[in-house]
Amino acid sequence: MTIYFIMYALTTFLFWCASKLRGGISYVAYAIGIFCPCFLAAVRDETIGTDLTGYGEIVYLNTQNIPLNYAIQQNDDNPIGFVTFAWLVNAFGGSFYIYLFLIELIIILPTLLAMVNFLGETAWIGMLVFLLTCYPTSLNIMKQMMATSILLLAFIAEIRGRIKTGLVLTIIAVLFHQTAIIGFLFYPSYCYFTRPGKYSIVRRIATYVIYLVILGVFFSFSFPIISRIAVFKQSYSYVEDQIGNGGFSIKYFLYFAMLILLSISEPGKWNAANNINGQRGESIQSDTNTSVSSFILFLSIAGCLFQETNVIGLGIARFSLYFLPFIGLYIGIVYKQRTDTQSRVITYLFLGVIVVLEFLSIKAGNNEVYPYTSALLHIDG
């Protein structure tokens, strides 16, 4: 357990240092910070992460010394993007350690780029939350976490005006996991949610209502929905088998409550130098920034609420992973925008809650990442 939190602390410290430094030394700090979680993922034993001995190892072994088209056919229950990635690692002589390192790199790097691009100097706090809430999952649900991180970067590119880049990244994410198709809804929803005008508040309320209706329909008709999906995708048969074996998540309910508390805390004065919707130092209207942060809040809340679909059955909540990195993004926004004591206290309290709950989650055996073992590092748990 200790090794995870040492890595979280060291990586966050390096990202914080990188945000304060300039020039080449800043890039060095970022590079070392990225290396830490990737290295820990790379040298872990095959028993760390439920899916590693499932598809992770199998796809790596089944893409060795064969043409790409045969590799895709032989691993036809896995996304083309992930199979191609594994094939390329093998084609260049990469070991299993390098394979695991690169998987984590594709998870960490796009997230960091998104956080730095959007939050600037407070990206370190967004990355801390991401590591705490998503790193253990990334050691297990590798394909979907790769898609999740790429979708986050795609969304940030789109709201920065780089629509084509965002679309390309979204397509790449879908190639790593088919459920990433939800990413095509992010930017249109953002445009609808943040469009200024007389009925802007009505549109925001309507967005929440529509989401709750969709969630209600999913709760009501979950079994036939999952059954139909399982017919077309064999890997979802596990989810179908787990219907009725889930439970309510106290963790994500508390995250939901803390997000609400943080959102209603006193906003304080807007500082144009802490712009979240344009380049650093630009002067833009604070109501535009409020719209952006409100949409990030919506995505964060949506992720927490969808996690509660675990009540229906284990595994269903995996669909909510695409929303979870936005929790770190929202906390970073609040930390950047609001300097009043009340907001800072609630932010630190939220971080403390996350640390405790994620510690308990790991210890409870979620994702099967505890105790951490590594034959290469002579760590036996």
Side-chain angles (χ1 to χ4, degrees):
M1 180 71 71
T2 304
I3 194 168
Y4 289 117
F5 286 91
I6 290 174
M7 184 274 290
Y8 295 157
L10 179 59
T11 301
T12 303
F13 175 71
L14 287 165
F15 288 156
W16 177 83
C17 289
S19 70
K20 302 297 181 183
L21 299 170
R22 295 292 180 267
I25 192 67
S26 175
Y27 291 109
V28 170
Y30 275 127
I32 299 174
I34 292 169
F35 177 82
C36 292
C38 295
F39 177 76
L40 196 66
V43 298
R44 73 189 193 270
D45 287 343
E46 296 170 5
T47 56
I48 304 302
T50 309
D51 288 349
L52 183 54
T53 52
Y55 65 79
E57 184 180 18
I58 292 171
V59 173
Y60 175 77
L61 294 174
N62 286 349
T63 53
Q64 293 179 341
N65 304 316
I66 58 174
L68 178 57
N69 59 324
Y70 289 164
I72 293 172
Q73 291 174 12
Q74 194 165 326
N75 299 275
D76 59 357
D77 196 42
N78 286 279
I80 292 176
F82 187 76
V83 175
T84 302
F85 160 77
W87 181 85
L88 286 171
V89 172
N90 279 308
F92 285 94
S95 67
F96 192 61
Y97 294 123
I98 293 175
Y99 169 70
L100 295 180
F101 184 94
L102 292 176
I103 286 175
E104 199 63 36
L105 181 63
I106 295 175
I107 295 170
I108 298 295
L109 183 57
T111 304
L112 178 64
L113 291 174
M115 295 288 184
V116 170
N117 186 274
F118 195 76
L119 297 175
E121 291 186 356
T122 60
W124 63 271
I125 197 168
M127 287 303 299
L128 171 60
V129 175
F130 177 79
L131 288 170
L132 286 166
T133 57
C134 295
Y135 184 75
T137 304
S138 75
L139 301 181
N140 172 22
I141 310 172
M142 295 164 286
K143 295 180 295 188
Q144 194 172 352
M145 281 306 304
M146 293 165 86
T148 297
S149 297
I150 295 169
L151 272 191
L152 178 66
L153 183 59
F155 175 72
I156 297 303
E158 287 168 342
I159 67 173
R160 290 300 197 194
R162 298 189 288 273
I163 308 298
K164 292 181 180 179
T165 300
L167 286 174
V168 170
L169 287 170
T170 302
I171 292 170
I172 292 173
V174 173
L175 291 176
F176 276 97
H177 205 278
Q178 59 279 356
T179 57
I181 195 170
I182 194 175
F184 287 110
L185 298 177
F186 282 0
Y187 185 64
S189 300
Y190 163 80
C191 293
Y192 174 79
F193 191 95
T194 61
R195 189 174 65 191
K198 183 178 179 180
Y199 300 104
S200 59
I201 298 298
V202 175
R203 283 194 296 272
R204 294 181 196 180
I205 295 173
T207 304
Y208 275 96
V209 171
I210 292 169
Y211 175 75
L212 290 174
V213 169
I214 293 172
L215 200 61
V217 170
F218 193 86
F219 267 102
S220 301
F221 303 99
S222 57
F223 186 75
I225 291 173
I226 297 299
S227 297
R228 289 182 181 275
I229 294 175
V231 170
F232 297 100
K233 186 70 174 172
Q234 184 180 355
S235 57
Y236 287 105
S237 60
Y238 165 80
V239 178
E240 184 181 19
D241 293 339
Q242 295 300 316
I243 295 291
N245 294 331
F248 182 78
S249 172
I250 296 295
K251 180 174 77 171
Y252 285 102
F253 175 77
L254 290 176
Y255 289 173
F256 166 76
M258 291 301 300
L259 283 167
I260 297 299
L261 184 62
L262 195 58
S263 69
I264 62 176
S265 64
E266 185 180 350
K269 293 183 179 180
W270 171 254
N271 182 358
N274 287 335
N275 184 352
I276 62 167
N277 196 42
Q279 298 301 318
R280 180 176 172 81
E282 290 180 358
S283 177
I284 67 173
Q285 296 179 348
S286 60
D287 59 345
T288 302
N289 291 275
T290 302
S291 296
V292 176
S293 60
S294 295
F295 185 71
I296 301 298
L297 172 65
F298 163 71
L299 292 177
S300 303
I301 290 174
C304 292
L305 292 179
F306 203 90
Q307 276 286 333
E308 299 303 346
T309 57
N310 259 343
V311 170
I312 302 169
L314 295 175
I316 296 178
R318 285 187 175 194
F319 292 97
S320 70
L321 287 179
Y322 300 110
F323 298 91
L324 296 186
F326 291 100
I327 297 176
L329 202 61
Y330 183 71
I331 293 174
I333 289 171
V334 173
Y335 193 84
K336 187 182 184 73
Q337 287 185 354
R338 304 174 186 175
T339 57
D340 58 281
T341 303
Q342 179 179 320
S343 296
R344 285 296 167 91
V345 168
I346 295 174
T347 301
Y348 294 138
L349 177 61
F350 197 172
L351 288 174
V353 168
I354 291 173
V355 169
V356 172
L357 293 179
E358 294 301 332
F359 173 88
L360 294 174
S361 178
I362 292 174
K363 197 167 185 179
N366 290 330
N367 296 301
E368 296 186 1
V369 297
Y370 174 79
Y372 179 88
T373 59
S374 171
L376 191 66
L377 298 181
H378 303 290
I379 300 174
D380 58 9

